[in-house]
């Protein structure tokens, strides 16, 4: 399932990138093409204006007769001035622009820059005077502008399209190569990112699957015990309560265990959904720890364990109900696993800008491998932390949630045979 989802995410990621690159490439290509075409058209129109103004391509209409009187010197000077002005204006025409003069049949009358016009239907060109347009020649393509000079001749200005085509081909090549590299990188990064994205989801689903499986197992055992003892109670309707007291007590005990388990599951479910809101208010964690030690002392006496405390006033913002639940979980856990006749110590005191709470026992301790999972739901080690000790296997998971919901941190320090210490660090304000 996750393999297919990873492939799908990668495909969508790469597809989105391909669409983006293609769109950007197409838009850039279109903008560059239009810009180049606009620049060419402007140069052709500018050249046509200058050439029309100078009359540089006009053919002589008459030749002076042999007996004609010589021209005046003033007229010669005037002609020279006009010729110099025309030369200056012609020099303004871009060297990229060629120009030619055609008659109405399309025959070339003048071609100063000797451009190769082979393969071009010049007759059709002069019979269809319009704006600049692309013309295919024998060896290359041109963009040409035809201007009717109203004297039976036509001025043609043009530019080769090889530069424009080269720039567009370069852009296309760069886009294709760059896009190919980007797509290859997207495949690798998309596969990696999909794995990173699905990793937490897979972990959550596996955790939920394991949670449901463990919860089913935990619920199945007390239900089976209660069902079996109920069957025994129903076997003999005439039996007195006193004769079936063991079965009645077993049913009551398992129902109580089920009640605690359901309450713990509800707490964690609400926490997972973000509905385990805290009611924060100024409080003294030291005073609360004193109350819990006092209330748990009787249970410690029953288990033959000494409960000691070192507690100082520790003001903080917290949820009194949830923090009391945390203290009860930690102290009850320590009492369960303390050595027979051992000591459980509770310490609470302010430290810098934090409040530090420690609950330690001198029991068998926890192996390093078990410490990695000690806060997991329903986790119990293979040795002493079994169902025979009671509880639901959810206490430490709930405790961890309470600490983290207060913005704190809980850690465990332990070694086989050297007892266990749970340390909680909470912000004091």
């Amino acid at each position: 399932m996750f393999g297919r989802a990873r492939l799908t995410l990668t495909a969508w990621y790469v597809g989105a990138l391909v669409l983006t690159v293609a769109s950007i490439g197409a838009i850039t290509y279109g903008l560059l093409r239009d810009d180049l075409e606009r620049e060419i058209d402007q140069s052709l129109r500018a050249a046509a204006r200058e050439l029309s103004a100078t009359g540089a391509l006009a053919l002589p209409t008459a030749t002076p007769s042999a007996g004609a009187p010589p021209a005046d010197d003033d007229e010669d000077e005037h002609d020279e001035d006009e010729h110099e002005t025309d030369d200056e204006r012609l020099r303004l025409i871009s060297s990229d622009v060629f120009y030619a003069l055609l008659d109405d049949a399309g025959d070339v009358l003048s071609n100063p820059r000797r451009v190769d016009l082979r393969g071009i239907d010049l007759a059709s060109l002069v019979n269809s005077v319009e704006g600049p347009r692309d013309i295919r020649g024998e060896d290359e393509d041109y963009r040409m502008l035809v201007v009717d000079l109203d004297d039976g001749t036509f001025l043609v200005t043009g530019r080769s399209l090889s530069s424009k085509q080269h720039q567009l081909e370069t852009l296309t090549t760069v886009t294709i190569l760059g896009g190919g590299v980007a797509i290859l990188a997207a495949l690798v990064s998309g596969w990696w990112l999909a794995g990173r994205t699905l990793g937490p989801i897979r972990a959550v689903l596996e955790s939920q699957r394991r949670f449901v499986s463990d919860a089913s197992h935990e619920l199945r055992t007390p239900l089976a015990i209660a069902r079996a003892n109920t069957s025994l109670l129903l076997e003999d309707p005439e039996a007195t309560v006193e004769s079936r007291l063991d079965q009645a007590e077993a049913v009551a005990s398992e129902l109580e265990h089920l009640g605690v388990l359901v309450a713990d599951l509800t707490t964690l479910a609400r926490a997972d959904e973000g509905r385990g809101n805290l009611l924060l208010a100024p409080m003294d964690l030291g005073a609360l720890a004193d109350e819990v030690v006092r209330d748990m002392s009787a249970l410690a006496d029953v288990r033959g364990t000494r409960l000691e405390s070192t507690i100082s006033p520790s003001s903080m913002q917290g949820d009194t109900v949830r923090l009391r639940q945390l203290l009860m979980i930690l102290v009850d856990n320590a009492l369960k696993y303390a050595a027979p006749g051992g000591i459980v110590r509770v310490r609470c005191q302010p430290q810098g800008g934090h409040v530090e709470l420690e609950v330690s026992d001198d029991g068998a301790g926890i192996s390093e491998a078990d410490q990695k999972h000690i806060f997991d739901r329903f986790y119990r080690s293979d040795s002493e932390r079994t169902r025979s000790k009671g509880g639901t296997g959810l206490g430490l998971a709930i405790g961890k949630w309470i600490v983290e919901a207060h913005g704190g941190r809980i850690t465990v320090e332990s070694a086989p045979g050297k007892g266990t210490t749970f340390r909680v660090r909470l912000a004091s304000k």
Side-chain angles (χ1 to χ4, degrees), residues 94-125:
S94 170
S95 60
D96 292 337
V97 177
F98 65 83
Y99 43 92
L101 191 66
L102 309 178
D103 61 16
D104 55 3
D107 295 328
V108 179
L109 301 177
S110 177
N111 186 5
R113 293 190 170 172
R114 301 182 182 280
V115 66
D116 185 3
L117 300 177
R118 290 176 302 171
I120 300 176
D121 187 355
L122 298 176
S124 298
L125 193 63

Side-chain angles (χ1 to χ4, degrees), residues 18 32 42 44 57 77 80 85 93 102 109 151 155 166 197 204 216 242 300 368 375 379 382 410 420:
V18 169
L32 179 61
Q42 289 174 352
L44 295 180
L57 294 178
E77 290 177 1
E80 287 178 2
T85 303
I93 298 174
L102 309 178
L109 301 177
D151 60 356
L155 172 64
H166 176 71
T197 302
V204 169
S216 300
E242 289 79 6
E368 187 175 350
F375 296 106
Y379 182 79
D382 295 333
I410 182 170
T420 301

Side-chain angles (χ1 to χ4, degrees), residues 261-301:
L261 179 59
V262 170
D264 288 348
L265 287 172
T266 302
T267 298
L268 290 173
R270 288 177 176 173
D272 289 342
E273 294 173 1
R275 295 191 294 120
N277 297 328
L278 302 178
L279 299 177
L280 300 179
M283 58 164 297
D284 184 352
L285 187 61
L288 186 62
D290 260 334
E291 292 179 11
V292 172
V293 169
R294 180 197 62 203
D295 295 343
M296 299 290 283
S297 294
L299 180 60
D301 292 341

